[in-house]
Amino acid sequence: MFSRVGLVRISCMFMLAAMAASVSHADTLLKITSAGSQGGNDSLSWSQKGPDQTILPASFSATTALSNSVTVGLSAPNSIISVVCTATPCSWTGTGFTSGDSLLWTSDAGNGGSGPVALTFGTNVSGAGALIQANTPGAFTAQVQLFNGATSLGSFTQASDTAGDPLYLGAVDQTGANVTQVVFSLTACSGVCTDFGVDTVAVNGSGSTSTVSVSPGSLTFPTTTVGSTSASQTVTVTNTGSTVVTISSIASSGSGASSFLIPTNSCGSTLAIGANCTFTVAFKPTTAGPLSAVILVADSASGSPQQVNVSGTGQASGSTITFTPSSVAFPTTTVGSSSAAQTVTLTNTGSTSVSLTSVTSSGANASSFIVANKTCTATLAAGASCTFSATFKPTTTGALSAVALVTDSAPGSPQSVPLSGTGQSTSVTVSLTPSSMTFATTTVGATSATQTATLTNTGTTTVNISSIASSGTNASSFLIPANGCGSTLTAGANCTFTVAFKPTAAGALSATILVADNATGSPQSISVSGTGQAAGSTVTLTPGSLTFPTTKVGSTSASQTITLTNTGSTSVSLTSGVSSGTNASSFIVANQTCTATLAAGASCHFGVTFKPTTTGPLSAVVLVTDSAVGSPQQVSLSGTGN
């Protein structure tokens, strides 16, 4: 299960009257059995006392991570620092500890026995805990004691499993930083108690905090008939601080408090550090109309009482609403202009009055639909009607939609009336030519000749130009040296800008030139591409031409070889080697040994065969596209079909 290498330990029993095995503690102390529940905001690491196998005196000083001074008292000198790892040469291996941790192992029987380990803090703390394991295999019982000066605040014990695996033991004083000393020891072992190891100590420092979080912070319930109860919703209370929280009460408050119930509550009177509990809230409206309240969680944490806002709408039994028309479609309207208003009628078709809360536009395009001229008041009697109007004022082009949202006390609230319309451009149109630019192969760092783009206002109103810039993966390789386009372009006018290629790397590069404006289809774009070649990159193709013997149509000649040699001083990127030209289909390029990169001085080969598709003289070329000067290189091909 575990072993410690390189340490000689002599078993002993120990007698320590001040550390009797009986468990006692004040009501203010809380036993901790996991590091997560400790909630420490500080720690004491043994690595500060030296590397693996460091021998320690009977008393020494240490410092916590937050600079709290600690005096460590042992029963005798010759305790040792042991580093956990999975195999030698580390001095400790075993389950339960993290590889790389430094443990303090108490001195052996010949040097005073197996403890205790007493930590005396320079500044009071509210608790501490650590992972503990006895050196002798088998079950053991660990003890933690807390003191304020000479006064014992109490103690706890914890038994390990039968295998004697490490256990976590700690304690917290719930009333605050009253602890001056924490003592760890063993009270029982399977056989004779020997020395024991203490891992990094988690400390609840004097800066311990009492905080809780409540989630969610608000609950909205669906419209519910008066006297009926909605489905419950759950709220979680979590102790996010480093002290135990006392919970006094959880109750609804406010004008609508009687309509919000708390059917279940798993939160007791205390909530441990890191723990959480839940309660549920249900909506049982006592009257029709909008209702709201707050659920108050009264506790000992800062910010108490915590609160959850709750709301819902009560509906009278038998209340119903209808809309005429049930949806509204507007005609196509120019962006920024307003359509004629259309009227929607609400009718209370039920047997009881309905409370109306609001009528608003809602949805992704709500800003394009204006709801106004409402004749509806806070209450709509049974059989009565009221109206509101909707107007379409598109903020952008294209198909737009939203809803008129009616919140009331009737079933299904909020009800919605779909609204739709299409926004059209105000004749702001442009053309950008050319649609693409291809630049000649250019040495990396050099700048090509420029090419010119023309932007023309083909509409009837002035175009506003926001920016002209390159975009995409290789945007930095395409420059705009000159820009004759200002911020506006009047109807019928045009302007120009130039684009140059300055490759930042060898190989095929591409980007997009984007013209951002207020015209339809913005941004306008030009696709740009070019190949960067490394400085000093040159290749040769041999032979410069291939002539095939006269070959019967459909038959295949013997293969002839083309050799590609990198005659430059840098590697060359190869993109493709293909046949091209009018009779390209009669010449087959195959058996290539060329890969994506050809090193300086290296060669590779293409095999070419002639398979005429028709009679008579036929010709084509082999094109080799690469990053070298003069790309694409070519070899002339010819043959006669019969």
Side-chain angles (χ1 to χ4, degrees):
M1 178 187 70
F2 54 81
S3 63
R4 206 151 38 96
V5 180
L7 299 181
V8 179
R9 302 291 183 191
I10 302 174
S11 300
C12 80
M13 292 293 288
F14 65 88
M15 299 294 291
L16 188 63
M19 301 181 67
S22 61
V23 179
S24 63
H25 59 85
D27 290 340
T28 59
L29 287 191
L30 180 68
K31 179 180 179 180
I32 305 295
T33 58
S34 71
S37 298
Q38 185 75 53
N41 63 340
D42 199 359
S43 63
L44 176 62
S45 173
W46 303 114
S47 61
Q48 65 183 284
K49 301 312 296 181
D52 192 42
Q53 302 287 301
T54 299
I55 303 299
L56 300 172
S59 178
F60 60 87
S61 297
T63 305
T64 69
L66 296 182
S67 302
N68 193 352
S69 61
V70 184
T71 300
V72 182
L74 305 166
S75 59
N78 297 321
S79 289
I80 195 168
I81 298 296
S82 297
V83 178
V84 180
C85 68
T86 56
T88 56
C90 295
S91 61
W92 173 254
T93 61
T95 60
F97 296 100
T98 301
S99 179
D101 281 1
S102 291
L103 276 63
L104 182 154
W105 281 91
T106 56
S107 61
D108 59 32
N111 291 294
S114 59
V117 176
L119 310 177
T120 303
F121 295 91
T123 300
N124 287 10
V125 300
S126 56
L131 201 64
I132 299 170
Q133 184 170 25
N135 192 39
T136 303
F140 65 92
T141 300
Q143 178 176 250
V144 62
Q145 291 178 292
L146 274 66
F147 293 87
N148 181 291
T151 303
S152 173
L153 300 176
S155 65
F156 295 101
T157 60
Q158 180 71 19
S160 73
D161 57 22
T162 56
D165 290 318
L167 61 82
Y168 189 93
L169 181 59
V172 170
D173 187 336
Q174 301 177 59
T175 61
N178 302 313
V179 180
T180 60
Q181 186 181 69
V182 177
V183 179
F184 297 103
S185 62
L186 300 183
T187 62
C189 300
S190 179
V192 178
C193 283
T194 63
D195 50 314
F196 65 98
V198 179
D199 202 358
T200 299
V201 180
V203 180
N204 300 85
S206 58
S208 298
T209 58
S210 178
T211 58
V212 298
S213 67
V214 179
S215 180
S218 63
L219 301 174
T220 300
F221 292 88
T223 299
T224 304
T225 302
V226 172
S228 297
T229 304
S230 73
S232 294
Q233 298 189 45
T234 300
V235 177
T236 301
V237 182
T238 303
N239 184 344
T240 55
S242 54
T243 60
V244 173
V245 170
T246 301
I247 299 176
S248 306
S249 64
I250 300 176
S252 57
S253 178
S255 59
S258 60
S259 294
F260 297 90
L261 314 178
I262 302 175
T264 62
N265 180 5
S266 71
C267 299
S269 59
T270 60
L271 188 60
I273 299 165
N276 61 55
C277 62
T278 61
F279 62 88
T280 60
V281 183
F283 179 43
K284 186 178 181 180
T286 57
T287 184
L291 298 167
S292 63
V294 292
I295 305 299
L296 298 180
V297 180
D299 51 48
S300 61
S302 59
S304 179
Q306 329 303 328
Q307 70 179 47
V308 179
N309 297 315
V310 291
S311 61
T313 299
Q315 67 181 16
S317 176
S319 57
T320 56
I321 289 286
T322 60
F323 298 92
T324 307
S326 58
S327 64
V328 178
F330 293 90
T332 298
T333 304
T334 301
V335 171
S337 299
S338 296
S339 71
Q342 297 197 42
T343 299
V344 177
T345 301
L346 287 73
T347 303
N348 182 350
T349 56
S351 57
T352 60
S353 63
V354 171
S355 299
L356 298 176
T357 305
S358 63
V359 183
T360 59
S361 59
S362 179
N365 307 125
S367 60
S368 293
F369 298 89
I370 303 166
V371 175
N373 301 321
K374 293 171 267 189
T375 65
C376 301
T377 58
T379 303
L380 187 62
S385 298
C386 64
T387 62
F388 66 87
S389 68
T391 303
F392 181 42
K393 186 177 182 180
T395 58
T396 186
T397 59
L400 305 172
S401 62
V403 294
L405 204 63
V406 180
T407 305
D408 51 49
S409 62
S413 177
Q415 292 87 9
S416 60
V417 178
L419 309 173
S420 61
T422 300
Q424 70 177 4
S425 169
T426 56
S427 298
V428 181
T429 58
V430 296
S431 68
L432 180 62
T433 57
S435 59
S436 64
M437 295 178 177
T438 301
F439 291 87
T441 298
T442 303
T443 303
V444 172
T447 303
S448 72
T450 60
Q451 297 189 42
T452 300
T454 301
L455 180 69
T456 303
N457 183 343
T458 56
T460 58
T461 60
T462 297
V463 171
N464 297 320
I465 302 171
S466 305
S467 63
I468 301 176
S470 57
S471 176
T473 305
N474 308 126
S476 60
S477 293
F478 296 90
L479 313 178
I480 301 175
N483 181 2
C485 299
S487 59
T488 61
L489 188 62
T490 59
N494 62 55
C495 63
T496 62
F497 59 90
T498 60
V499 182
F501 179 43
K502 186 178 181 180
T504 57
L509 304 171
S510 62
T512 305
I513 304 299
L514 297 179
V515 178
D517 51 43
N518 67 329
T520 302
S522 178
Q524 329 303 328
S525 65
I526 299 174
S527 299
V528 290
S529 61
T531 299
Q533 66 182 14
S537 60
T538 57
V539 297
T540 60
L541 282 173
T542 55
S545 63
L546 295 177
T547 301
F548 292 88
T550 299
T551 304
K552 186 176 181 179
V553 172
S555 297
T556 303
S557 73
S559 178
Q560 297 191 45
T561 300
I562 298 173
T563 300
L564 176 67
T565 303
N566 184 346
T567 55
S569 58
T570 60
S571 62
V572 170
S573 299
L574 300 178
T575 306
S576 65
V578 296
S579 60
S580 179
T582 305
N583 307 126
S585 60
S586 294
F587 298 90
I588 302 167
V589 179
N591 302 320
Q592 300 181 28
T593 65
C594 299
T595 59
T597 303
L598 186 63
S603 297
C604 63
H605 308 284
F606 297 90
V608 184
T609 57
F610 178 44
K611 186 177 182 180
T613 59
T614 185
T615 60
L618 303 171
S619 63
V621 294
V622 171
L623 291 181
V624 178
T625 304
D626 50 46
S627 62
V629 176
S631 177
Q633 288 81 22
Q634 67 180 42
V635 174
S636 300
L637 308 174
S638 62
T640 300
N642 68 3

